[in-house]
Amino acid sequence: MGQPLAELELGLYRVQADTYHLELRFTDPTSDAETAPRRTTCPLDPRALLPLLLDQRAYGQALAAQVFADPDARAYLRAVRTAVDSADRVLRLRILIGPSAAELHALRWELLCDPDAGAPFATSERVLLSRYLPSQDWRAIRLRPKAALRALVAISAPSDLADYGLAPIDPTAEETRARESLGPMAVEVLGRDQPLTVAVLDEALRRRPDILYLVAHGAFSRRREPFLM
């Protein structure tokens, strides 16, 4: 991890109804050689993925099969992985979804699998998976020091979690972990002295903290709608 990260950008842009332009662009900051990007199309069909929502591995593999449907795209990815692994490097895989394909943000990209290995990129110790948005705003972003940031730590620890087959949450331990992770930031904690409710969280968010650190269980309703407990 001491060397600059090799980066593979996976860009997706709409061409027509269920067809998208795929651009793979590899960058190695340690090499002066230029690697030509690979451009192709992929038949992404979000509707075909819906029946697989409850099977994370199958969903990720089906998504990979759509994204890397072109054998040339798979070959390009394979060549990048081989080069990075042989150099004992870590690969940053960045997913860029263009403005014309905003509907693709609804897909579960964190489950995307390596089409060869069949395992999720996000669980690999040799891949850093991220997704980002392009912006037409060219104004400079000035980062503030961490000590000047404010964090809101919200801990939902209902007393009846066992009734739903969920593990208990220790607010004190979670607060300790949050403070250790956030370092010198000013921290406001919710859920320690009183139950965390939507109203309490909404009021705290109106004070516009820089970071929300949320600890809660998630589940699906009978209508398969996700919610937090």
Side-chain angles (χ1 to χ4, degrees):
M1 292 293 288
Q3 301 183 60
L5 295 176
E7 296 190 356
L8 176 62
E9 180 181 286
L10 191 159
L12 290 161
Y13 312 88
R14 174 183 283 278
V15 177
Q16 53 189 13
D18 289 327
T19 303
Y20 296 84
H21 176 83
L22 171 67
E23 180 174 290
L24 296 168
R25 185 181 296 273
F26 178 62
T27 303
D28 185 351
T30 66
S31 174
D32 293 330
E34 293 187 6
T35 303
R38 181 62 52 86
R39 298 180 178 92
T40 183
T41 57
C42 57
L44 275 171
D45 183 5
R47 293 164 298 184
L49 299 173
L50 292 177
L52 303 174
L53 281 174
L54 298 182
D55 188 335
Q56 297 185 1
R57 180 60 65 89
Y59 185 102
Q61 292 174 347
L63 179 57
Q66 291 187 13
V67 173
F68 299 101
D70 186 338
D72 286 344
R74 289 196 180 203
Y76 189 92
L77 173 64
R78 190 178 302 119
V80 168
R81 293 298 306 274
T82 299
V84 173
D85 289 344
S86 62
D88 196 24
R89 303 276 300 284
V90 173
L91 177 68
R92 182 186 297 280
L93 177 59
R94 303 197 304 175
I95 298 174
L96 167 63
I97 296 176
S100 62
E103 67 279 2
L104 297 184
H105 285 294
L107 300 184
R108 302 184 65 182
W109 291 103
E110 72 280 3
L111 300 179
L112 180 66
C113 288
D114 183 320
D116 289 335
F121 286 113
T123 60
S124 171
E125 295 182 352
R126 307 197 63 82
V127 177
L128 300 178
L129 178 67
S130 61
R131 175 159 43 126
Y132 70 103
L133 296 169
S135 174
Q136 300 302 317
D137 189 345
W138 289 81
R139 290 177 296 177
I141 298 176
R142 295 178 175 82
L143 299 179
R144 290 181 291 158
K146 284 188 176 182
L149 300 178
R150 296 183 302 109
L152 175 64
V153 176
I155 304 171
S156 178
S159 59
D160 60 348
L161 287 175
D163 296 343
Y164 298 91
L166 299 174
I169 292 177
D170 183 343
T172 302
E174 294 297 342
E175 179 183 348
T176 299
R177 276 190 283 270
R179 290 186 182 276
E180 290 175 349
S181 300
L182 296 169
M185 296 183 199
V187 175
E188 178 184 2
V189 180
L190 302 178
R192 177 182 55 193
D193 302 320
Q194 60 177 335
L196 178 65
T197 64
V198 173
V200 169
L201 180 59
D202 180 69
E203 181 181 352
L205 288 174
R206 291 179 186 277
R207 294 192 282 274
R208 301 183 66 180
D210 299 290
I211 294 175
L212 171 62
Y213 184 113
L214 178 63
V215 180
H217 277 293
F220 285 99
S221 68
R222 292 182 178 178
R223 295 182 179 180
R224 309 310 304 167
E225 296 174 343
F227 67 96
L228 297 176
M229 302 183 66

